[in-house]
Amino acid sequence: KNRLRAEADQMQMLLERADKLVNGLAGENERWQVSIGHLQGELTRCLGDSLVAAAFLSYAGPFDTQYRSRLVSSWLDALKEKHLPFTDSFTFAVFCARPTDVRQWNIQGLPADDFSTENGVISVRCSRWPLMVDPQNQANKWVRRMEESRLRVVDLKSKNMLREIENGIVYGLPVLLQDILEELDPALEPVLAKALIKVGNREVLRLGDKELDYNKDFKLYMTTKLGNPHYTPEVSTKATIINFAVKQKGLEAQLLGTVVQKEQPALERQKSDLTLRVAAGKKKLVDLEDEILRLLSETEGSLLENESLVDTLQQSKIASDDVSRQLKEAEETEIRIDAKREEFRPAATRSSVAYFVLADMGRIDAMYQFSLDSYVDLFSQSMDESRTGTKGVNSADRCRQINSAHTLSVYKYTCRGLFERDKLLFALQLCLRIMTGENKIPTQEFDFFCHGGVVVDRHDQRPNPCPEWIDAGTWDNITELDNIPTCMGIASAFEQGHRDWRAWFTSSKPEEMSLPGDWENKVTELQRMCIIRALRLDRVLFCATRFVSMNLGPQFADPPPFDLKAIFACSNYRTPLIFVLSPGVDPTAQVKSLALGQNMAVDICALGQGQASVAAKLINLGLRNGTWVFLANCHLMLSWMPELEKCVSEYCTVTEGASDAPHNDFRLWLSASPSPHFPIFILQCGIKMTTEPPRGLRANMMKLYNLVSEEQYSRCQQRFKYRRLHFALCWFHAILLERRKFKNMGFNVPYEFNESDYSICHDLIIVFLDEYPDQTPFDAMRYLIAEANYGGRVTDALDRKLVNVYINQFFCEDALDPQTTFNLTPHVPDSPYIIPSDADLPGAKDAVKNFPQSDAAVAFGQHANADIASQIEDSNTLLGTIVSLQPKSINVGSESLEQKVLVNCRLMQEQAPSIFNVAALQTTMGQRADPEPMKTVLYQEADRYNTLLSTLHRTLRALELGVQGLVVFTPALEEIMGALLNFKVPRAWSKCYPSLKPPGPWMRDLVQRIDSLQKWIDEGLPRCFWLPGFTYPTGFLTALLQTSARKNGVAIDTLSWDFPIVLTPPASITQHAKDGSYCSGLFLEGARWDFDSSCLTEPIPMELCCYMPVIHFRPVEMKKKSTKGIYSCPLYMYPCRTGSRERPSFVITCDLKAGLQSAAYWTCRGTAMLLSISH
C-alpha cells in the first residue's frame, strides 16, 4: 500500500513536471522555431557573408565610413556576379557581434554609432593585435573600462614596459600600450608577430633573452594619439590598424546625450536605465536558453527525472514573458524619449560641426591641438552660461540660445591659441561649415570661391569686351562664373554695362559698394564673394570678414583682445599654460607681472642643454609648495619633452585629496616656438596662447619707446641730436619690421629683426654723439647700423641695398637741422610722419601716438599697388588653406574626383606638345651658320624640355590608367592627382623651370615655350628672342657674351652689358641685332614704362604688372658708366624673388632710366622686372 502510494505520488509529480515541461518547451518552441528559420536562412547565406566579413576584418580597419560602405558594396556585387548566396542587407557588426555584447560595449563607453561598433568588433575579433588610431582618446577609455582592474597600462617611455608585457603573457592579463608613434620598439617584434614555439605541450614566446609560457588569455591593445599616422608595411602586416577617430555623427550622438542630460536630466536617466534594463533582460534570456540547451544535451534517461531542467524551463518562460513585456514597454518609452531628445538635436549638430572645424586647425599648425574632453567641458559650460533665467523656454528657442552661446565660446576659446593670420580663417571655416550643414552653401558656388575660374582651353571662350581693364585671368573667372546657373548672365552684363562695372571695379572698397544693375538684388552673400573673388582678389579677406559678420554676427569678425589674467582665471593645476611664440616676442615679463599681481612666486628656467634636471626639480618643488614654474623655450629641448609629458600626465591623473595630490596654487607655464614634435598630450590638456609682435608703425615705435626709461633717455650729453636720431632709429626699425607685409615687394628674403638690434644701435648712437660732439659721424653710424648690425642679418645684396637707402634717408644732416621739420616720408605731402623738434620722452611718445592707426604703402616708399599685391597673396593663402581642409569626398549625383581627374588628364594630353627629335634637330642645326654658343643653348633647352615633356606624357598616361584601376597607384601618382584636384602644378612637373601659375595657364605657357623653340628650329635664329621661353636665361645671356667675344676678338670677362630700349614691337623687327640680341616678353613690377619719355614712371592704380618694351641686350667692353638718373633694375625668373636653393630666381641687373625720380625711389618701391607672372 505504501509502495503504491509512493508510486502514485511519484507519478503525480512526473505528470506535473511533464505538464510544466510541455508548457515550458511550447513557449521555447515558438522562439526556437523562429530561430531555426533564421538560422537555416543564415546557414544558406553564411558562405558569402563570411567571405565579406573576413575581408572587412582584414582590410577595412584603417578606412572611414564612406570608404568601408563602398568596399562592402563592391564585394557584394562581386558575390552577386559569382552567384554566391549572401544577405542583401549585410552589415558587418550584426554578422560578427551579438547585440548583448554591443550594448555592453556602449555601456562601457564605446560610442553607439555604426562606425564605432564596427571598430569595436574588429578590435575584439581580429587575429592580429589591434592598433587603434585614437586622437580623441575614446578607444583608450573604452578599453580601460572594458578590461577594468585586470588591465595593465604602459607606454613606450615606461621603464617597466617589457616587464608588464611579460607578466601579461605569462598570467593571461590584458595590456594597453598607449601613445605609440609611427615606429614601434623592435623588442616587441615577437609579441606582434605571435612568434610562438612549441616545446612539448607548452607554447613558448621568446621575448629578449627570456622564454615565456604563453597564456592564451593574453591580450594586447595599442593606441596612438596621432591623427593621421603613416605606418610602414611591416607594422601594418603585424597589427590590425583601426581608425577610431571620432566622426561627426558619432560625436553628435554623444553631445546629444550631454545636452539632454543638462536640459532634461530625468529623461536622459530614464533612457540610460531603460538601456541597461533591456540589455540585462536580453542577456538573462540568452543565458537561460543556453542553460536549457545544456541541460537537454547533458540529461541521461528521462527528461522528467531532471528537476533543475523543469525549473529552468519554468523560470525561462516567466523571464521570457517578463522580458517581452519589458521590451514592448521599452520600445514605446524609447519612441517617446527619442522624440523628446530629437528636439535638442540642433544643439548637438552645431556643437559637433564646431568641434570638427576646431580639429581641422591642427592640419594648419601642429600647435593647434584641442582635446575632445576639454571641448565637451566647454560645451557644458556654454550651456550653463546661456541660461537666461526665463522659465518655460521651448526646446527650439533653447537650442538657439545654446547654439549662439556655444559658437561664440568656441570662437573666443580658440582665438586665444591662434596666430592673427589664422583667426579669420577659423571664423570663415566655422561659418561655412555651419551654413553647409543648413544647406545654404551651393557646391558649385563654393568651388568657384575656392578655385576661381580655371580654363585650360580658351578656343571656345567668348571674347573679352573690356581688355583694357579686364585681363585674361579675370575674364577666365567671369566666363566660368557665368556657367554657374545662379550667376548666369554676368558675362553679358559686362558687355552691356561695362562703364558701371569699371566704376565698381576701381572703387577702393568694392565689397561695400552696390553691384551694378540689378545684380545687387539678385545675388546672395556667397555669390557676392564669388564676384569679388573673380574681379578683385585683393578684397577677398575684407569680403570674407563681412560674410562672417553678416551670417554669424559682428563679434565673430573681431577677435577678442589678449587678456592673460582672464586666461589664468580659467586654469587650474592640471592645465599647463602654453605660450606659442612668434619671432622677437618674449612673454616672461607678462608672467612675472601677473605673478606679482597674484602675490605668487614664479621660478623661471630657460631650457637648453643640461637644464632637464633643473626643470624637473622646479616642477617637483612647485607641485609640493604651490609655486609657479615657467619653462621657457621648450622647442630647444624637444628631446626632453617626452619626460615632461609623462610628468604632466602623472600629476594630472592624481585624485584630489590624495596624499601626493598637487598643490591647488601650482601652475606650469611653458613657451615654445611651433614644432610638430611638441607633445600632443600637453597641447590638448593645456591652454594655448599666441604671442605676436605689435602690428603697424605706430605700435612698433611705441613698443621701442616703452623699452627706454627716463634715465636712459637723458644719458646722452648731446640731448637734441640724440632725441632726433633716436626717433629716426625707432622709425628705421619699425619700417624694416613692417615692410615684410609687402611679401616679395618688401624683402627678397624675410628677416627677423628684433629688439636686440635696436638696443645695440641705440647704445651706438649715444657713444658716437658723446665721442664726437662737434661733427656727427654719419658715415660711421650708417655703416655700423645698416651694414654691420641690421645688415648682419641680411643675406641678399639687393635687400642690403634697400636697407642702406633707408638709413641714408633717415640719418642725415637734415634730420638734425633745428630750423626744419624733418619729414620721414619725403614723397608724401603733409606727411604725419615727422620727427618732433626737441621732445622729451613723454613728448616723443605723444608724437608717435599721433601717427595714423593704419599705415599707407607710401609711408614705406611703396605704391598703393604693393598693398594690393600683398593682399592678393594673403587671399590666395586663405583660399589655398580652405581647399586643403576640405574633405576629399563628393556629394551623391555630382562628378566624382576620379572623373574630374580623368577629364583633365585627357584634355592636358591633347594639349601637351610633342617631344623634340634631338637627332633631327642636331642634323638641321649642323648645316646652319648660327654661332656655336647659340646652338649649344638650343640643344640644352631642347634636352631640358624633352625631360619635362616625357615626364608630363608618362605621368598623365599613368594617372589616367591609375584612376581607372589598371595600374598600381603609387605615392607619386597620388601626389600628382592631389595637386591637380587643388588646381596646382605637381612638383614632378616643376623641375625644368619654376612657375607659380595654375595648371591651365601653365600648360598654355608651356605650349608657347615649345612653339618659340620650334620656330627657332624651323625658321632660323630669331630676330627677337622671347626671353621667358628659356629654362636657364642666364645660359642664353652667357652665350650672347661668348658670341660677341669671339666675334670681336676680346676676352669675355672684359665685357659687360648695355640695355638700350627698343620701342618697335617684336613682330616688326626685321633685322638681327649687330651685337647681342633683342629680347621681349619681360614684365615690370612696382613701376610702369613711359613709352613717350622712355623711362620709369608711376604705375597705374591696380595695374600690378605691365609689359616692358623690347630690350636690346648688348655686350659692351667694360667702361665706367654714369649712374646718374639710372636705376639698376633686377630681373627675376618669377614673382618669388628669393627662388630656391637649387634655382635662384635672380637673372641679371638691367640699367633703366629712372625718369623724374631717383634710383633710391625705385629701390624703395621694390621695382623689378619678371620673366613670368603668376597668372
Side-chain angles (χ1 to χ4, degrees):
K1 184 180 176 181
N2 290 334
R3 184 172 57 79
L4 286 171
R5 189 177 291 116
E7 286 178 2
D9 291 343
Q10 177 72 12
M11 187 60 66
Q12 183 65 35
M13 185 180 67
L14 291 174
L15 283 170
E16 286 172 3
R17 283 185 187 172
D19 184 51
K20 289 178 183 177
L21 193 62
V22 169
N23 290 335
L25 286 174
E28 295 299 315
N29 182 52
E30 292 174 13
R31 285 207 314 280
W32 289 352
Q33 286 295 337
V34 173
S35 298
I36 287 166
H38 283 309
L39 287 170
Q40 284 175 338
E42 285 173 7
L43 279 171
T44 307
R45 300 186 295 268
C46 185
L47 178 63
D49 291 353
S50 300
L51 188 59
V52 176
F56 194 101
L57 196 63
S58 301
Y59 302 114
F63 303 118
D64 62 13
T65 309
Q66 288 181 321
Y67 198 80
R68 287 181 183 181
S69 300
R70 287 170 62 188
L71 277 176
V72 171
S73 298
S74 65
W75 291 334
L76 293 178
D77 290 342
L79 292 179
K80 203 170 191 176
E81 286 177 19
K82 301 291 183 185
H83 305 292
L84 291 172
F86 63 90
T87 304
D88 291 330
S89 57
F90 173 84
T91 52
F92 171 72
V94 170
F95 182 78
C96 286
R98 291 182 293 188
T100 48
D101 290 340
V102 174
R103 283 176 184 271
Q104 188 62 30
W105 294 342
N106 295 152
I107 291 162
Q108 289 161 347
L110 184 72
D113 58 290
D114 293 342
F115 180 72
S116 299
T117 305
E118 289 170 357
N119 288 338
V121 176
I122 296 172
S123 305
V124 172
R125 294 275 187 183
C126 60
S127 58
R128 294 165 292 173
W129 301 126
L131 194 169
M132 297 174 250
V133 179
D134 185 32
Q136 288 88 19
N137 219 30
Q138 293 198 324
N140 192 297
K141 289 179 183 174
W142 170 58
V143 170
R144 285 170 182 261
R145 290 183 64 181
M146 180 172 63
E147 298 293 353
E148 295 180 330
S149 58
R150 297 181 72 245
L151 185 70
R152 298 291 179 266
V153 182
V154 292
D155 56 53
L156 293 174
K157 298 183 285 289
S158 302
K159 293 177 183 176
N160 60 341
M161 179 192 74
L162 283 177
R163 187 178 302 153
E164 289 287 4
I165 291 175
E166 287 171 11
N167 290 338
I169 291 169
V170 172
Y171 299 113
L173 300 173
V175 176
L176 171 60
L177 179 58
Q178 63 182 6
D179 299 342
I180 66 168
L181 301 175
E182 292 186 343
E183 293 181 3
L184 296 177
D185 191 331
L188 296 174
E189 177 73 22
V191 183
L192 293 177
K194 294 187 178 178
L196 300 176
I197 303 165
K198 196 83 171 173
V199 179
N201 294 327
R202 297 161 55 216
E203 281 188 325
V204 172
L205 190 142
R206 186 173 286 115
L207 189 60
D209 56 350
K210 295 180 182 177
E211 285 191 354
L212 307 172
D213 286 334
Y214 187 81
N215 190 315
K216 290 189 182 295
D217 291 333
F218 168 68
K219 297 176 191 171
L220 177 66
Y221 303 94
M222 294 173 283
T223 64
T224 176
K225 284 183 180 172
L226 300 176
N228 189 20
H230 180 77
Y231 287 108
T232 60
E234 291 77 16
V235 174
S236 302
T237 53
K238 294 187 178 97
T240 301
I241 298 174
I242 308 171
N243 180 7
F244 257 93
V246 69
K247 301 299 168 192
Q248 190 164 321
K249 286 294 178 188
L251 181 58
E252 190 179 305
Q254 295 175 48
L255 293 174
L256 180 60
T258 306
V259 178
V260 178
Q261 198 166 17
K262 276 275 182 185
E263 301 299 318
Q264 301 278 344
L267 196 68
E268 189 64 14
R269 196 160 50 247
Q270 191 180 355
K271 166 87 172 171
S272 180
D273 291 345
L274 194 66
T275 304
L276 287 169
R277 200 162 62 246
V278 170
K282 286 192 171 182
K283 188 173 185 303
K284 185 178 180 183
L285 205 59
V286 170
D287 290 344
L288 286 168
E289 280 185 1
D290 291 345
E291 181 65 15
I292 288 167
L293 292 172
R294 186 186 66 79
L295 290 169
L296 283 171
S297 64
E298 291 178 359
T299 300
E300 295 177 359
S302 173
L303 293 176
L304 300 179
E305 299 290 340
N306 193 333
E307 187 176 357
S308 63
L309 172 62
V310 176
D311 291 342
T312 304
L313 273 172
Q314 189 69 18
Q315 195 180 345
S316 173
K317 188 174 187 306
I318 296 167
S320 173
D321 294 341
D322 193 32
V323 169
S324 300
R325 182 177 48 76
Q326 278 185 9
L327 283 173
K328 192 173 180 182
E329 287 175 7
E331 285 171 7
E332 293 170 359
T333 311
E334 193 164 11
I335 290 168
R336 289 199 305 273
I337 291 172
D338 286 346
K340 190 69 179 171
R341 280 165 59 92
E342 283 301 310
E343 294 176 6
F344 293 97
R345 172 80 56 184
T349 303
R350 169 71 68 88
S351 55
S352 177
V353 167
Y355 173 76
F356 282 97
V357 176
L358 198 65
D360 279 346
M361 298 304 289
R363 291 158 60 185
I364 299 168
D365 192 304
M367 303 299 273
Y368 297 164
Q369 300 287 342
F370 303 91
S371 76
L372 183 57
D373 291 343
S374 300
Y375 182 78
V376 173
D377 291 343
L378 178 69
F379 182 47
S380 182
Q381 188 182 331
S382 301
M383 283 191 286
D384 292 338
E385 291 172 356
S386 66
R387 297 187 194 282
T388 57
T390 309
K391 293 186 177 179
V393 179
N394 63 42
S395 303
D397 290 339
R398 181 68 188 122
C399 281
R400 280 192 285 274
Q401 287 177 355
I402 293 171
N403 285 346
S404 299
H406 179 60
T407 310
L408 186 58
S409 292
V410 169
Y411 177 69
K412 290 180 175 177
Y413 169 80
T414 311
C415 275
R416 68 190 180 197
L418 299 181
F419 289 114
E420 204 66 36
R421 63 177 182 265
D422 295 324
K423 289 178 182 177
L424 174 60
L425 169 71
F426 174 69
L428 183 60
Q429 272 286 90
L430 189 61
C431 182
L432 289 169
R433 291 280 184 88
I434 289 169
M435 293 178 71
T436 301
E438 296 168 355
N439 294 320
K440 292 180 181 177
I441 303 290
T443 305
Q444 274 187 299
E445 293 173 16
F446 178 69
D447 284 348
F448 181 86
F449 176 67
C450 290
H451 303 295
V454 181
V455 178
V456 179
D457 188 356
R458 286 180 174 158
H459 290 304
D460 300 327
Q461 191 178 48
R462 65 198 300 165
N464 183 351
C466 317
E468 67 279 4
W469 62 275
I470 298 179
D471 62 34
T474 304
W475 187 243
D476 284 349
N477 288 337
I478 294 166
T479 53
E480 289 300 296
L481 186 59
D482 192 71
N483 292 333
I484 298 174
T486 51
C487 298
M488 194 176 292
I490 194 165
S492 305
F494 280 84
E495 296 168 1
Q496 296 155 10
H498 60 88
R499 286 190 184 86
D500 293 339
W501 278 104
R502 184 166 191 174
W504 179 88
F505 175 77
T506 53
S507 61
S508 59
K509 296 181 179 179
E511 70 279 1
E512 296 176 7
M513 301 283 290
S514 297
L515 290 169
D518 60 348
W519 284 93
E520 178 64 26
N521 302 319
K522 281 171 63 175
V523 298
T524 63
E525 279 302 313
L526 180 58
Q527 288 160 9
R528 180 191 294 274
M529 281 213 299
C530 289
I531 293 171
I532 287 173
R533 193 252 185 272
L535 287 156
R536 289 290 303 274
L537 187 56
D538 59 301
R539 302 304 296 177
V540 164
L541 295 182
F542 304 95
C543 189
T545 303
R546 171 189 159 98
F547 181 80
V548 169
S549 181
M550 294 187 71
N551 288 287
L552 283 186
Q555 63 271 41
F556 290 87
D558 184 20
F562 180 74
D563 184 350
L564 189 58
K565 192 173 181 181
I567 292 170
F568 166 72
C570 300
S571 70
N572 58 46
Y573 68 85
R574 285 195 173 98
T575 51
L577 295 117
I578 307 151
F579 289 101
V580 185
L581 298 175
S582 295
V585 176
D586 184 2
T588 307
Q590 291 173 290
V591 176
K592 283 182 176 178
S593 174
L594 181 66
L596 195 63
Q598 298 290 324
N599 198 24
M600 290 296 301
V602 56
D603 296 316
I604 299 172
C605 176
L607 292 182
Q609 191 172 4
Q611 294 299 303
S613 58
V614 177
K617 186 178 178 182
L618 289 178
I619 291 172
N620 290 330
L621 285 171
L623 288 168
R624 194 163 56 248
N625 302 330
T627 54
W628 292 1
V629 177
F630 181 27
L631 305 182
N633 301 326
C634 293
H635 56 279
L636 299 180
M637 273 193 74
L638 289 172
S639 59
W640 183 68
M641 287 299 103
E643 291 295 321
L644 178 63
E645 180 183 24
K646 188 176 179 184
C647 173
V648 172
S649 64
E650 282 175 358
Y651 75 67
C652 282
T653 52
V654 176
T655 53
E656 278 189 64
S659 58
D660 57 343
H663 197 289
N664 282 333
D665 292 337
F666 170 73
R667 294 293 184 278
L668 178 63
W669 299 81
L670 307 170
S671 73
S673 292
S675 168
H677 304 296
F678 196 87
I680 294 174
F681 174 78
I682 295 177
L683 289 171
Q684 288 187 341
C685 74
I687 295 175
K688 294 168 289 298
M689 303 158 281
T690 51
T691 56
E692 294 187 83
R695 292 195 169 193
L697 295 171
R698 187 174 79 171
N700 272 289
M701 287 194 69
M702 280 304 298
K703 182 182 180 184
L704 295 180
Y705 266 97
N706 289 333
L707 294 175
V708 182
S709 65
E710 281 284 1
E711 184 183 350
Q712 287 175 306
Y713 200 70
S714 56
R715 197 174 66 182
C716 183
Q717 296 168 11
Q718 303 290 315
R719 187 166 297 175
F720 173 78
K721 289 182 179 180
Y722 163 75
R723 288 176 176 179
R724 295 194 69 138
L725 288 181
H726 178 259
F727 199 93
L729 175 65
C730 293
W731 175 258
F732 172 74
H733 181 88
I735 282 281
L736 294 187
L737 282 180
E738 286 300 300
R739 191 177 168 93
R740 289 177 301 188
K741 73 179 183 179
F742 296 112
K743 311 293 190 306
N744 291 319
M745 292 185 71
F747 287 106
N748 289 351
V749 180
Y751 304 104
E752 302 297 347
F753 301 112
N754 58 37
E755 290 158 17
S756 64
D757 299 318
Y758 155 79
S759 300
I760 293 167
C761 294
H762 179 211
D763 293 341
L764 185 147
I765 288 172
I766 295 172
V767 169
F768 271 113
L769 290 177
D770 285 345
E771 288 286 330
Y772 303 96
D774 300 326
Q775 183 68 35
T776 307
F778 279 112
D779 288 341
M781 275 187 187
R782 286 192 288 249
Y783 180 82
L784 287 173
I785 292 172
E787 290 284 351
N789 195 23
Y790 284 90
R793 295 183 185 274
V794 179
T795 55
D796 187 274
L798 293 163
D799 287 340
R800 185 174 285 107
K801 182 179 176 182
L802 172 68
V803 172
N804 278 296
V805 165
Y806 276 137
I807 202 71
N808 286 322
Q809 277 183 11
F810 308 143
F811 277 67
C812 58
E813 291 291 350
D814 290 347
L816 300 182
D817 188 349
Q819 306 302 320
T820 60
T821 301
F822 186 72
N823 185 359
L824 291 161
T825 53
H827 303 291
V828 184
D830 302 323
S831 168
Y833 304 108
I834 58 172
I835 296 181
S837 58
D838 186 17
D840 57 6
L841 188 57
K845 288 182 179 179
D846 290 339
V848 173
K849 286 175 185 174
N850 290 328
F851 283 2
Q853 179 70 38
S854 58
D855 309 315
V858 288
F860 303 84
Q862 288 275 20
H863 190 272
N865 283 355
D867 265 334
I868 294 174
S870 67
Q871 286 163 5
I872 286 174
E873 196 167 333
D874 289 338
S875 297
N876 282 326
T877 301
L878 175 81
L879 295 171
T881 309
I882 289 174
V883 169
S884 71
L885 295 178
Q886 295 313 302
K888 299 293 184 284
S889 60
I890 55 165
N891 294 325
V892 177
S894 63
E895 190 180 28
S896 73
L897 300 180
E898 287 83 0
Q899 288 169 327
K900 287 181 180 178
V901 171
L902 209 53
V903 170
N904 282 340
C905 277
R906 286 169 181 166
L907 194 59
M908 294 177 90
Q909 282 184 86
E910 290 171 10
Q911 289 189 316
S914 301
I915 293 173
F916 290 109
N917 186 332
V918 177
L921 167 63
Q922 290 176 344
T923 304
T924 303
M925 295 305 294
Q927 299 167 3
R928 290 192 189 160
D930 292 357
E932 285 302 319
M934 302 306 288
K935 287 182 183 178
T936 303
V937 168
L938 180 59
Y939 297 151
Q940 290 174 344
E941 290 291 318
D943 280 341
R944 291 190 199 105
Y945 279 119
N946 273 356
T947 304
L948 169 61
L949 291 170
S950 61
T951 302
L952 184 64
H953 285 290
R954 188 184 71 253
T955 52
L956 283 173
R957 179 63 183 150
L959 185 58
E960 185 182 1
L961 294 172
V963 165
Q964 294 173 341
L966 301 175
V967 299
V968 175
F969 213 81
T970 62
L973 284 182
E974 194 171 349
E975 186 181 341
I976 292 170
M977 179 175 169
L980 292 178
L981 285 172
N982 289 333
F983 299 94
K984 292 180 181 176
V985 175
R987 281 191 304 174
W989 302 352
S990 302
K991 292 176 182 175
C992 184
Y993 59 91
S995 175
L996 298 181
K997 296 177 188 289
W1002 182 85
M1003 182 58 80
R1004 288 193 291 273
D1005 178 60
L1006 175 62
V1007 171
Q1008 190 177 357
R1009 286 166 175 264
I1010 300 302
D1011 287 348
S1012 69
L1013 276 190
Q1014 193 63 51
K1015 192 175 179 182
W1016 182 357
I1017 296 165
D1018 296 341
E1019 300 177 10
L1021 199 67
R1023 290 181 287 276
C1024 180
F1025 282 92
W1026 187 58
L1027 195 56
F1030 291 99
T1031 58
Y1032 275 85
T1034 46
F1036 166 71
L1037 295 177
T1038 304
L1040 288 181
L1041 288 175
Q1042 284 178 331
T1043 302
S1044 178
R1046 292 176 185 179
K1047 178 182 173 182
N1048 299 309
V1050 296
I1052 191 171
D1053 56 1
T1054 65
L1055 295 177
S1056 62
W1057 290 103
D1058 198 15
F1059 305 94
I1061 300 296
V1062 179
L1063 299 179
T1064 309
S1068 303
I1069 294 175
T1070 56
Q1071 296 291 327
H1072 290 94
K1074 289 182 181 178
D1075 219 351
S1077 179
Y1078 300 118
C1079 295
S1080 66
L1082 280 68
F1083 298 91
L1084 186 60
E1085 185 179 35
R1088 180 171 58 88
W1089 189 256
D1090 187 337
F1091 281 78
D1092 296 329
S1093 305
S1094 196
C1095 65
L1096 295 172
T1097 189
E1098 289 294 322
I1100 297 169
M1102 297 182 60
E1103 186 181 67
L1104 305 183
C1105 292
C1106 66
Y1107 288 103
M1108 276 294 288
V1110 173
I1111 299 179
H1112 181 187
F1113 282 77
R1114 186 172 66 195
V1116 293
E1117 287 197 63
M1118 283 186 185
K1119 57 183 179 181
K1120 191 172 182 182
K1121 297 180 186 177
S1122 170
T1123 56
K1124 188 175 181 182
I1126 297 295
Y1127 171 59
S1128 293
C1129 183
L1131 172 63
Y1132 298 98
M1133 289 189 69
Y1134 65 126
C1136 181
R1137 299 184 182 187
T1138 315
S1140 63
R1141 188 172 58 185
E1142 296 79 17
R1143 288 294 299 272
S1145 185
F1146 178 76
V1147 179
I1148 195 173
T1149 301
C1150 303
D1151 292 337
L1152 303 178
K1153 289 182 181 177
L1156 300 175
Q1157 306 295 347
S1158 65
Y1161 179 87
W1162 299 114
T1163 301
C1164 289
R1165 283 288 165 95
T1167 301
M1169 289 190 294
L1170 306 172
L1171 293 178
S1172 166
I1173 53 178
S1174 56
H1175 57 271

